[in-house]
Amino acid sequence: MANKTCRNLLSQLSDYIDGELEEMLCAEIEQHMAGCPDCQAVVNTLEKTVRLYRTVGRAEVPQDVQRRLYKVLRLDQIGRHT
Ligand SMILES: [Zn+2]
């Protein structure tokens, strides 16, 4: 399900959600998401999770939570760049 564009995009997702990504890359991600429901789903889920963690006073989503999300969405091969 995840093609190469999706993988590139999702490997930068935490930076994107943290707002640490360059404006150009953000635009690229948003453009891709507009036509890719898979990535939309991942970003929505991840964003919700990140917000939840911030609400309880933790700045970062633990790696295992991210991995679980990827796995649920069958994108678990993406998170291995660390
Ligand atoms: Zn995609």
Side-chain angles (χ1 to χ4, degrees):
M1 118 180 189
N3 63 35
K4 209 180 161 196
T5 311
C6 293
R7 285 189 203 190
N8 286 342
L9 188 152
L10 291 166
S11 68
Q12 317 207 59
L13 213 56
S14 6
D15 285 343
Y16 171 71
I17 286 168
D18 286 340
E20 285 171 5
L21 215 55
E22 287 172 43
E23 209 172 307
M24 237 180 69
L25 280 167
C26 288
E28 222 169 89
I29 286 177
E30 276 152 19
Q31 200 176 17
H32 172 84
M33 274 199 303
C36 184
D38 292 338
C39 288
Q40 273 173 41
V42 176
V43 170
N44 285 342
T45 310
L46 210 55
E47 243 175 6
K48 262 183 223 155
T49 311
V50 168
R51 234 171 257 149
L52 192 72
Y53 272 94
R54 291 206 173 128
T55 305
V56 296
R58 295 173 64 166
E60 283 188 27
V61 180
Q63 279 287 315
D64 63 308
V65 173
Q66 278 192 38
R67 251 197 303 271
R68 219 176 308 148
L69 280 170
Y70 287 147
K71 205 161 195 167
V72 165
L73 297 153
R74 292 172 190 254
L75 299 167
D76 52 312
Q77 69 269 38
I78 289 159
R80 292 191 185 162
H81 63 288
T82 42

